[in-house]
Structure formats: structure tokens, C-alpha cells
Amino acid sequence: MACHEAAHVADEQLLRLVRSRAIQKASRDRKKSRYLATTATVETLRDEVARLQGRMASLVRRVPLAYVLCVQPNFDGGPTLKIARQYVTLFKHGYNDTKRKQSAKQLAFLTGIAAANVRYNGGIGVQSILSNWLRYTTTFSGVVIEMQDCAVLKTDDGPIVKGVVKSNLKITQSSIRTIFPYCPDHLKPQLIGQVMTLYVTMHWSFDESDRLIAIDGAGDFVSGLRPILRSIEAVAAVLNMAAFYGPESAISVARST
């Protein structure tokens, strides 16, 4: 009798254990199903948002900026403005082809957003942009740039983004030889080792598919040199026949009045 009762108790315990595990499994299955359903819904919504954003960007390209701002006063500039900001961020410290990881990242970025025949201050192609940056970076011992202001000038028929970029550039003998080759000898000691703050007005031009087709920039070297040399005559002497122009130049010059 005692053995029979003990067996009965054991059977009930086993049955409760089986039921408990079945309930736990069913609960886990329900949670998993809800999770999978939620994940699928999120992915569907994400795809739909991306589709609508693409559609909105496509519509914006067909409408003048003034009309876009009437409908959407808080318009963030769209993908082209983001590209311009990312460009400045990626080249914050210039370009050095010996830094393999960063230079590969910069190349991949430009290749991904630019047309094959992208123009840059007279040069053509992504490699021309990188060559300019390499020259710019190696000419000065320190390069730090940051976006000060950025805005979309137009949205239809190919967007154009305008940005003001602040550059801090440490002047070296190489800088003088390359950029200011006719700098008078008596002014060179005043320049070497100094950090020139240069404000560059840049324009990024895009086609109707938001592919980058041109970049140009003009730097205010007069305002950059004047705090260092403290004389407009000395600035004029340094800038005499300065090498700002042509495809081999990193930026052109905007002369202050």
C-alpha cells in the first residue's frame, strides 16, 4: 500500500513537472513568435520609411528651395547637406595615404558619393581630390578643419550646398616654398611655426541623383595672414604670385578688401 501511494505521488510530481515544462515552452514559443512578428513589423516599417524618405528626396529635387521651405520650414537640407558635413568630418585632419585605414575610408566615401568625372578646382576625378588633399596636408605640419556653417542654396535641377570651413594650418618652410614661393626672406621667420586660421567658402554641387559632380573652395588668406604679419603690406608681399591656382592647388584664394 505504501509503495503504491509513493508511486502515485511520484507520478503526480512527474506529471506536474511535465505540465510545467510544457507551459514554460508554450510561453517561450509565444514570446518568440511575438518577437519575430515585432521584428518583421519593425523591418517593414524601416523599409517603408526609407522608401518614403527616398520619395521625398526625389520630390524635393524637382522643387525650388523657396517652395520646399514654405511646406517644410524645418527642412534639414536633405542628403546632400549630410554629405557635405560628412566630407568635412572625414577630412578633419587632411589626407595621408600612409595611414591605410583612414585613407581607405576616405577613398571609399568619395567613390561612393561622387561621379567619376567629379571636378575639384580644375582637376577631375576622385584621385585628383585626394592628390589635392595630400598636397594640402603635407604642405602644413598640422591641419585641422571644421564646418562653421552649412546650408543648401538650391534643391531643384541639381542641389548646391554652401559651407564655411574653418582651417587651422601650421606654417612650415615647406608651406612657404610651396604656397608662398616669393615670400620675402625677412618675413619668413614671422611665418614659420605660426598657426594660420583660414576661412574657406566651399560649394558642393550635385546632379539630380545627388551624386557629387563638383567641389570648389576659396580661402581668405588675407584675413588669415594679417593677424600674424600685422601689416597689410607684408601680407601683400607674402601673397605676391602665391601658388593657389590650377588643378594642383588645394584651394583658390579669396582676397579681402
Side-chain angles (χ1 to χ4, degrees):
M1 184 69 176
C3 290
H4 177 73
E5 289 180 355
H8 180 68
V9 170
D11 289 343
E12 287 186 345
Q13 290 176 340
L14 179 60
L15 183 60
R16 284 197 298 271
L17 179 61
V18 170
R19 287 175 178 172
S20 175
R21 289 180 176 176
I23 291 171
Q24 290 174 2
K25 183 178 184 303
S27 177
R28 288 195 300 270
D29 289 344
R30 285 194 300 272
K31 289 180 180 179
K32 183 178 180 180
S33 296
R34 286 197 297 269
Y35 172 78
L36 292 175
T38 301
T39 300
T41 301
V42 169
E43 290 177 353
T44 299
L45 291 174
R46 185 183 293 119
D47 292 342
E48 181 65 11
V49 168
R51 186 187 70 80
L52 291 173
Q53 287 177 335
R55 176 63 176 160
M56 183 176 70
S58 176
L59 292 173
V60 164
R61 295 187 198 107
R62 305 176 189 178
V63 181
L65 181 59
Y67 292 104
V68 174
L69 294 176
C70 285
V71 176
Q72 189 180 353
N74 62 342
F75 177 58
D76 65 359
T80 54
L81 188 138
K82 294 180 178 67
I83 287 172
R85 289 191 178 279
Q86 190 175 2
Y87 175 92
V88 172
T89 299
L90 272 177
F91 287 91
K92 181 179 179 65
H93 297 288
Y95 173 78
N96 187 336
D97 57 359
T98 63
K99 295 182 177 180
R100 299 294 180 84
K101 186 175 180 180
Q102 178 64 9
S103 61
K105 187 176 181 180
Q106 291 166 321
L107 173 60
F109 169 73
L110 289 176
T111 303
I113 57 99
N117 60 344
V118 59
R119 303 184 306 279
Y120 183 59
N121 280 355
I124 296 177
V126 167
Q127 286 301 327
S128 176
I129 296 176
L130 294 177
S131 295
N132 273 280
W133 270 109
L134 181 61
R135 178 176 181 269
Y136 193 48
T137 305
T138 55
T139 295
F140 299 94
S141 68
V143 173
V144 181
I145 71 169
E146 60 179 307
M147 186 79 83
Q148 294 290 289
D149 189 28
C150 191
V152 175
L153 296 185
K154 63 188 290 286
T155 51
D156 58 317
D157 194 28
I160 296 177
V161 176
K162 176 183 177 181
V164 176
V165 178
K166 178 183 178 182
S167 302
N168 290 320
L169 312 169
K170 190 172 183 180
I171 301 172
T172 64
Q173 290 183 349
S174 175
S175 312
I176 295 174
R177 284 195 306 270
T178 305
I179 306 295
F180 313 118
Y182 294 94
C183 173
D185 289 341
H186 71 280
L187 293 176
K188 292 178 181 179
Q190 297 182 47
L191 293 173
I192 294 174
Q194 296 296 316
V195 175
M196 175 175 59
T197 299
L198 186 68
Y199 288 89
V200 182
T201 300
M202 299 195 65
H203 293 88
W204 292 265
S205 300
F206 299 83
D207 63 16
E208 293 182 354
S209 300
D210 290 344
R211 296 286 290 178
L212 183 66
I213 57 174
I215 307 175
D216 65 79
D220 186 358
F221 279 84
V222 174
S223 295
L225 289 170
R226 194 165 185 176
I228 298 173
L229 297 172
R230 302 183 183 279
S231 162
I232 193 64
E233 291 78 14
V235 171
V238 170
L239 291 177
N240 179 40
M241 298 181 69
F244 300 116
Y245 304 99
E248 74 284 355
S249 174
I251 51 177
S252 59
V253 61
R255 296 182 183 274
S256 297
T257 56

